[in-house]
Amino acid sequence: MVLKKRASAVLAAVILAATGTAAFATENLSFVSWGGTTQDAQKQAWAEPFSEASGIRVVQDGPTDYGKLKAMVESGNVQWDVVDVEADFALRAAAEGLLEPLDFNVIQRDKIDPRFVSDHGVGSFYFSFVLGYNQGKLGGNAPQDWTALFDTTKYPGKRALYKWPSPGVLELALLADGVPADKLYPLDLDRAFKKLDTIKQDIVWWGGGAQSQQLLASGEASLGQFWNGRVYALQQDGAPVGVTWKQNLVMADFLVIPKGAKNKDAAMKFLANASSAKGQAEFANLTAYAPVNVDSVSQLKGDLAPNLPTAYAKDQITLDYAYWAKNGQAIAARWNEWLVK
Amino acid sequence: MAGQVKMAAIPPGSPANAGGGAARASAGSDSKAAPMKRDNQTALRWRGARNLIPALLFLSLFFLAPLIGLLLRGVLEPTPGLGNYEQLFANSAYARVLFNTFAVGGLVTLISLLLGFPLAWVITLVPRGWGRWLLSIVLLSMWTSLLARTYSWLVLLQATGVINKTLMALGIIDQPLEMVHNLTGVVIGMSYIMIPFIVLPLQATMAAIDPMVLQAGSICGASPWTNFFRVFLPLCRPGLFSGGLMVFVMSLGYYVTPALLGGAQNMMLPEFIVQQVQSFLNWGLASAAAALLIAITLALFYVYLKLQPESPVASSTAR
C-alpha cells in the first residue's frame, strides 16, 4: 500500500515536471473564434504565418462564448488569449472591465480604419448586412433596397431576418420607413417595431450563417438580410441568388484580449500581425469579408474586389456599435416583448 | 389504514380471527417485533452507504456547488434583492416565454404518449424476435445525433421540402403547408425525439403485465374495451407516469430543437436563458429564470412521487 502510494506520487511528479517543461519549451497562444470557414481562414491567413515567423504556437479554440469569457475573467482563470467578438460586445466588455487595453506601440493604429479600432479591441474584419434574394423565386423582379422587404405584394414569399437583438434589423426597418441614414440614432424603437409589425407573419428568423444560406438557397425565403460573405459563397456555388448593396449596413468583428490573459504579450503581437495590411488582405481574399486595414485594399484579388463591402463604400451605413453596447440590453427586453406578442 | 392492512394480513379463518382479544394480542406482539426487524433492515440497507461517498462528493463538488453559486447570482446581481424575479414575473414577454415552455412541454408529452403507447404495445405483443427489431429501431433513432435528426426534420418539413413537394405533386394542396419555423415544427421535432423515452419505460411495464390477468378479465365477461380501460390501462399507469413525467421535464429544458425548428415567437425558457447568459451577460436574470426552471422541475418531481401509484405489477410479483 505504502509502496503504491509512493509510486503514484513519483508518477505524479514526473507528469508535472514533463508538462512544466513542455510549457516552457514553446510559447503557446490560444485563439478563439466562431468556427467554420471563418476560423479556417483566420488560421490560414494569420495563425500559420505568425507561428512560422515568431515560433509561438497558436492553438485554435472555440466557438466564441461571451458567457464563458466573462466566467474566465471573473474566476481569474483565463484560458483564452485572443478572442474574436462582435463589435458592440467588444465595447461593452471593455466598459465592464473584461478586457486588456491594447498596446498600440505594437499594433499600428494609424493604418486601421478608425471605425474598427478602440482602446480595447482591433477589427478582425468587417462585413455588411446586404439585401439578398432568390432569383428563382422573384423572377426578373430584382429588389432595389430595404423597402422591398416590406412590400409583400411586389415581392411575395418569406423574409429571412437575423433573429438576435443586435445591430441590423431595427436599423433596416427604420431606413425602409424613410428615416434618413444620419438620423438613425438614437433608434426610434416604436417606429421600428411598428414597421416590422407589417411583415411579422412573413418573417423567418435565422440564427447562424449556415441557416441563412439554407433559407435563401432553398427558396424557403425569397429575400432577406444576409451577411455579404454568405451570399457570395452561395453565388460561388452557383446558387441563383442576387444581392443589392444599397444602404449596406456595416458591422464588424473585433479581436480582443481578455483581462488576465496568460500570454498577453504574445497576444499583442498576434493582433499586430492580424491587423497588418498583409494579414487583413489575405483573410479577405479567403472569405470575401472586408479588411479593416486601409492599406490592404490594393492587395485584394481582382475578381473578388467587387464583391467586398470596400467596393460599396458610398452606399454604406455604419451601425453604431457604441449605441448598442450601451442600450443593447434594454433593446433586447423590448425585442423579446415584441417577438412573443 | 395501517390497521386495515394488518387485519387483512391475518389469514382468514386463523384462530386470531376467532376472538377480538386474541387479535389484539397478536397485533401487539406484531408491533413489538416490527421495530427490531426494521432496525435490522435499516442496518442492512445502509451497509453499503460508505460506497456512496465518492459519488456524493463528486456531485456536490461539480454539480451542487456551481448550482448554488448560480442561484445566488439571481439574488445578488446586478444589485442584491429580488429585482430579477420581479422582472421575470412583471414583464409580460417573459411570462409569455414561461407559458410557451409549458405549452410546448405539455403538447409534446401528450403527442409522445399517444404515439408511444401503441408502439410500446405492439413491441410487447409481436413475437420476441420482431419485438427486438422494433425496439432496436427505436433505440437507433435515439442514438443518432440530435442535431442531424433536427436538421433532417427541417429538410422534410420546409416549404420546399420533400413532404410539401410530394403533397403538391399529388395535387392534395396547392400552397405549401407551413410546418416549420413555428409551433408545429417544434412539436413534431420534439415529439419524435421524445417517443423513445415513452416507449422504453412503457414497454417494460407492459411486458411485466401477466397475460393471465387480461384473460381472467375476459373470462369474467369483460368486453375487449372494458378489459382495456379497466384492466390493462390501469396496469400501465406506472409506465405512463414515469415516461410522461420524464418527457415533460426534458421538454422544459430543451434547446436545440426549438431553436432550429421554431420561430422566434415560440421562444422557450432555455433559449431565453442562453440569450441572457451569452449575448447580454445578464446573469442575474438568467439565473433567476434557471432557478424557476429548477423549482418547477422539483415541484413536478414531488407531485410525481406523491401521485405515483404503488405499482400493481411489482406487488403482484412479490406476492
Side-chain angles (χ1 to χ4, degrees):
Chain A
M1 193 64 187
V2 174
L3 200 74
K4 231 185 195 172
K5 256 187 196 160
R6 193 169 297 162
S8 58
V10 169
L11 193 68
V14 168
I15 291 169
L16 269 178
T19 51
T21 46
F24 280 115
T26 52
E27 218 175 340
N28 276 348
L29 181 76
S30 83
F31 174 78
V32 179
S33 187
W34 302 90
T37 48
T38 309
Q39 190 161 359
D40 290 344
Q42 285 170 328
K43 186 177 166 196
Q44 201 183 329
W46 304 340
E48 281 165 3
F50 176 74
S51 293
E52 236 164 77
S54 66
I56 299 170
R57 208 162 70 90
V58 179
V59 182
Q60 302 285 327
D61 200 353
T64 300
D65 181 333
Y66 300 152
K68 215 160 160 181
L69 191 149
K70 177 172 160 159
M72 281 183 185
V73 175
E74 278 187 0
S75 65
N77 180 20
V78 181
Q79 300 294 329
W80 289 350
D81 298 310
V82 177
V83 188
D84 187 301
V85 301
E86 287 154 296
D88 55 323
F89 178 82
L91 298 180
R92 174 153 176 229
E96 290 191 11
L98 299 174
L99 304 178
E100 292 282 354
L102 298 188
D103 181 356
F104 287 107
N105 294 319
V106 182
I107 302 160
Q108 270 195 297
R109 186 170 191 159
D110 54 334
K111 290 293 174 202
I112 299 167
D113 186 327
R115 290 180 293 173
F116 309 121
V117 62
S118 74
D119 291 346
H120 295 81
V122 56
S124 171
F125 55 88
Y126 81 91
F127 58 92
S128 288
F129 278 121
V130 291
L131 181 67
Y133 54 93
N134 185 307
Q135 286 156 338
K137 279 273 163 182
L138 294 181
N141 193 9
Q144 296 305 315
D145 57 24
W146 296 117
T147 56
L149 280 177
F150 298 86
D151 187 348
T152 47
T153 46
K154 200 167 163 201
Y155 307 101
K158 295 277 179 188
R159 280 89 173 104
L161 296 180
Y162 191 39
K163 91 177 194 191
W164 299 108
S166 74
V169 176
L170 296 172
E171 281 88 344
L172 70 83
L174 290 171
L175 288 169
D177 205 31
V179 176
D182 55 343
K183 297 266 175 9
L184 274 178
Y185 300 95
L187 294 174
D188 185 343
L189 295 179
D190 292 329
R191 188 167 170 182
F193 285 123
K194 209 174 143 204
K195 184 74 180 172
L196 286 168
D197 265 334
T198 61
I199 53 162
K200 198 171 177 185
Q201 299 310 316
D202 304 301
I203 300 174
V204 257
W205 301 95
W206 54 270
Q211 202 185 358
S212 75
Q213 287 176 311
Q214 195 267 339
L215 287 173
L216 183 62
S218 70
E220 181 83 5
S222 326
L223 70 172
Q225 161 210 23
F226 300 96
W227 293 327
N228 71 282
R230 294 290 183 161
V231 181
Y232 176 73
L234 283 180
Q235 287 174 327
Q236 293 303 101
D237 289 346
V241 295
V243 61
T244 297
W245 286 89
K246 186 135 186 252
Q247 294 188 326
N248 68 86
L249 302 171
V250 172
M251 178 63 189
D253 266 23
F254 273 38
L255 297 173
V256 298
I257 302 174
K259 194 160 206 102
K262 293 199 177 72
N263 306 297
K264 204 175 89 180
D265 295 335
M268 296 291 174
K269 283 182 217 153
F270 183 87
L271 293 199
N273 170 64
S275 61
S276 69
K278 189 162 167 285
Q280 282 291 307
E282 271 174 23
F283 177 77
N285 284 333
L286 289 169
T287 58
Y289 288 125
V292 300
N293 192 306
V294 288
D295 288 348
S296 299
V297 182
S298 58
Q299 301 179 34
L300 295 175
K301 279 194 291 192
D303 54 335
L304 181 71
N307 296 297
L308 288 192
T310 39
Y312 302 90
K314 63 177 193 316
D315 280 332
Q316 270 169 14
I317 297 167
T318 305
L319 299 168
D320 190 343
Y321 328 127
Y323 174 82
W324 275 90
K326 221 169 105 200
N327 302 296
Q329 227 166 327
I331 295 172
R334 272 290 300 269
W335 175 277
N336 286 337
E337 211 170 309
W338 173 79
L339 264 189
V340 299
K341 203 161 57 192
Chain B
M1 189 65 190
Q4 268 174 3
V5 171
K6 241 172 238 158
M7 287 298 274
I10 299 164
S14 77
N17 241 1
R24 215 178 297 131
S26 94
S29 72
D30 216 320
S31 66
K32 235 177 262 163
M36 228 169 76
K37 210 170 140 198
R38 209 173 294 143
D39 271 0
N40 257 343
Q41 265 181 354
T42 324
L44 226 115
R45 196 176 286 166
W46 288 100
R47 205 154 61 183
R50 261 176 40 183
N51 301 339
L52 271 176
I53 293 174
L56 278 181
L57 232 102
F58 183 82
L59 277 180
S60 52
L61 212 66
F62 292 103
F63 175 66
L64 271 181
L67 188 66
I68 291 167
L70 175 84
L71 295 183
L72 280 178
R73 280 179 184 272
V75 287
L76 293 176
E77 277 183 20
T79 49
L82 291 175
N84 287 317
Y85 288 90
E86 208 181 299
Q87 209 181 335
L88 210 54
F89 287 111
N91 189 323
S92 66
Y94 302 157
R96 180 76 205 204
V97 168
L98 219 65
F99 170 79
N100 279 344
T101 314
F102 281 96
V104 170
L107 216 56
V108 166
T109 310
L110 190 73
I111 290 176
S112 327
L113 278 174
L114 287 178
L115 294 177
F117 189 91
L119 181 55
W121 205 8
V122 167
I123 292 174
T124 327
L125 287 181
V126 296
R128 236 177 115 181
W130 283 96
R132 211 176 291 154
W133 271 105
L134 280 174
L135 206 61
S136 317
I137 293 173
V138 172
L139 283 175
L140 234 100
S141 87
M142 198 166 90
W143 291 335
T144 310
S145 151
L146 178 79
L147 214 58
R149 283 186 288 160
T150 306
Y151 266 112
S152 315
W153 274 115
L154 193 63
V155 171
L156 288 175
L157 294 177
Q158 65 188 356
T160 50
V162 182
I163 294 176
N164 267 321
K165 275 198 172 147
T166 313
L167 288 178
M168 276 162 74
L170 291 174
I172 297 171
I173 50 171
D174 36 68
Q175 276 290 316
L177 298 173
E178 290 190 16
M179 294 184 290
V180 80
H181 303 302
N182 53 26
L183 190 67
T184 318
V186 178
V187 172
I188 291 176
M190 278 175 72
S191 302
Y192 163 73
I193 284 158
M194 293 301 182
I195 283 174
F197 295 96
I198 294 275
V199 170
L200 293 178
L202 205 53
Q203 197 268 332
T205 311
M206 284 174 175
I209 295 173
D210 192 343
M212 302 278 267
V213 179
L214 294 174
Q215 216 174 354
S218 57
I219 287 171
C220 292
S223 69
W225 278 110
T226 320
N227 219 358
F228 176 79
F229 280 111
R230 302 203 37 199
V231 182
F232 188 66
L233 206 57
L235 285 173
C236 291
R237 238 161 63 188
L240 284 173
F241 248 86
S242 50
L245 187 87
M246 184 149 68
V247 167
F248 188 68
V249 168
M250 280 173 76
S251 303
L252 294 183
Y254 237 86
Y255 174 64
V256 173
T257 310
L260 285 178
L261 297 181
Q265 293 92 320
N266 333 95
M267 190 193 274
M268 288 169 66
L269 211 49
E271 206 179 349
F272 173 76
I273 294 172
V274 169
Q275 193 194 55
Q276 295 301 322
V277 169
Q278 289 196 341
S279 303
F280 298 106
L281 301 188
N282 197 353
W283 289 11
L285 191 62
S287 82
L292 203 63
L293 198 57
I294 293 169
I296 291 163
T297 309
L298 288 179
L300 280 173
F301 191 63
Y302 180 77
V303 171
Y304 165 72
L305 286 180
K306 285 278 142 195
L307 282 185
Q308 192 188 27
E310 186 92 13
S311 167
V313 176
S315 62
S316 75
T317 46
R319 227 176 271 145

